[in-house]
Amino acid sequence: YLAEGRLIVRRVDGPYVLAYVRGDGVLHRVETHAEIGTCTCPARGRCSHLYAFGLVAATTRKDPNYR
């Protein structure tokens, strides 16, 4: 999705991330807050839009060795 320009991150505010994912010609709103994700597509559970979004906007813990 990202490589094809079908995933656009619009907002990052601490643990809140908002993005739009284009799937099958329809734009879906994908959000995460405190590692809980939602998508506006009709699929139930963890859809492919949330999966793609999670690959891009993964929440990480602070690593003391990160520079």
Side-chain angles (χ1 to χ4, degrees):
Y1 287 98
L2 184 64
E4 297 171 357
R6 294 173 30 175
L7 189 150
I8 300 169
V9 176
R10 300 295 295 184
R11 182 175 174 197
V12 177
D13 186 9
Y16 175 78
V17 182
L18 167 67
Y20 290 93
V21 180
R22 184 171 306 282
D24 297 328
V26 178
L27 198 61
H28 300 287
R29 180 183 174 113
V30 179
E31 298 177 77
T32 61
H33 189 272
E35 298 184 25
I36 297 172
T38 60
C39 180
T40 59
C41 81
R44 294 182 181 206
R46 189 162 173 86
C47 65
S48 61
H49 310 112
L50 281 171
Y51 180 74
F53 177 70
L55 292 174
V56 173
T59 303
T60 60
R61 289 179 277 159
K62 289 197 176 211
D63 182 350
N65 298 317
Y66 179 77
R67 296 175 196 249

